[in-house]
Amino acid sequence: MPEPKQDRAIRTRDEIIRAAAEVFDERGYNGASMREIMKRAGVTLGAVYFHFTNKEAIAREVMNGQPDTIVPLLESTGLQRAVDITLAWSRQLQRDPMLRAGVRLAVEQSNLEFRDASSYSAWEKIFEECLTVAQEKGELRENVSPRDVAEFLVGACTGVQLYSDLLYRRSDLPQRTVKMWELLIPGLAVTRTAEQIKVSVRRATALAA
């Protein structure tokens, strides 16, 4: 039975995005070309341009798709969910070209022909939602602002992964992420919650399994 046109179009679009992510991960935005993305996806150049007007449009799709590689893996809530997002992220960055490409594109924007902070804003919103739930559950200390902490976490995670990538190609990123939370949790969480939060490299591996 022939594949419906709509399903085939969706599949082709997904293949282009995955191929583009691999190329962006390997070469960055400036080093990637629409023709190389076409070859990697195994489609015609016309098919690429049917779905995306230019390279920037594909890059934005990859960059803003970062949460889709992490959020579906999680079932926790509140502060534990915020922790788990970063643990799964630290492990996925070691093995998922879609996430690596999204992060690379977001970080390299100072050298690109476009600027788009929406990927950072999306992560900030996700963290703030987790931390607001944590606040409502009585997990956070009285003076902790979910919005302020969310903004800090986005910046902290960006810095941690850059430093880990520079030194060890992110091989120690889960360990650094665990250490980050070991430093942060005592100042964020009430004692009861701080004692219950699970944060470890083993958990990072299990979440991203």
Side-chain angles (χ1 to χ4, degrees):
M1 184 176 178
E3 184 180 16
K5 287 185 178 180
Q6 184 177 5
D7 292 348
R8 185 165 64 250
I10 292 172
R11 180 170 55 81
T12 299
R13 188 176 189 277
D14 289 343
E15 289 172 351
I16 293 169
I17 292 171
R18 284 194 296 271
E22 292 176 0
V23 177
F24 288 137
D25 178 38
E26 295 167 8
R27 302 183 181 278
Y29 181 84
N30 291 329
S33 69
M34 293 290 270
R35 191 166 295 278
E36 184 171 7
I37 291 169
M38 170 202 75
K39 291 179 180 178
R40 189 74 62 96
V43 300
T44 66
L45 196 58
V48 176
Y49 279 109
F50 175 81
H51 291 281
F52 299 98
T53 55
N54 51 34
K55 185 172 69 169
E56 179 182 326
I58 308 179
R60 289 179 186 272
E61 188 78 19
V62 172
M63 188 168 60
N64 294 325
Q66 294 175 53
D68 294 337
T69 68
I70 303 296
V71 175
L73 303 174
L74 310 177
E75 298 179 356
S76 50
T77 62
L79 183 57
Q80 183 67 64
R81 187 173 183 82
V83 171
D84 286 347
I85 287 171
T86 65
L87 292 177
W89 165 87
S90 71
R91 185 70 180 92
Q92 287 290 81
L93 267 174
Q94 295 178 329
R95 64 182 192 173
D96 186 347
M98 181 71 74
L99 180 59
R100 282 200 305 268
V103 169
R104 179 171 182 171
L105 289 167
V107 169
E108 289 183 347
Q109 286 188 73
S110 60
N111 298 315
L112 303 185
E113 59 199 39
F114 68 92
R115 293 291 187 96
D116 185 349
S118 55
S119 62
Y120 292 106
S121 299
W123 279 123
E124 187 175 329
K125 181 180 179 181
I126 290 169
F127 280 128
E128 185 175 354
E129 289 171 351
C130 297
L131 294 163
T132 298
V133 172
Q135 188 179 58
E136 293 169 350
K137 293 169 65 177
E139 295 179 347
L140 303 182
R141 293 185 179 274
E142 187 175 347
N143 64 337
V144 171
S145 162
R147 177 173 294 182
D148 290 347
V149 176
E151 184 177 358
F152 172 80
L153 284 173
V154 172
C157 288
T158 300
V160 166
Q161 74 85 16
L162 280 171
Y163 192 40
S164 175
D165 187 32
L166 179 64
L167 293 181
Y168 303 114
R169 302 298 299 271
R170 298 195 183 102
S171 64
D172 67 342
L173 185 55
Q175 289 88 343
R176 289 179 182 274
T177 304
V178 168
K179 178 59 67 176
M180 178 186 78
W181 280 110
E182 289 175 347
L183 294 170
L184 290 176
I185 287 173
L188 298 177
V190 297
T191 302
R192 180 188 70 258
T193 300
E195 293 172 347
Q196 295 173 347
I197 290 294
K198 299 178 179 67
V199 52
S200 66
V201 173
R202 178 177 295 180
R203 185 172 179 86
T205 302
L207 287 169

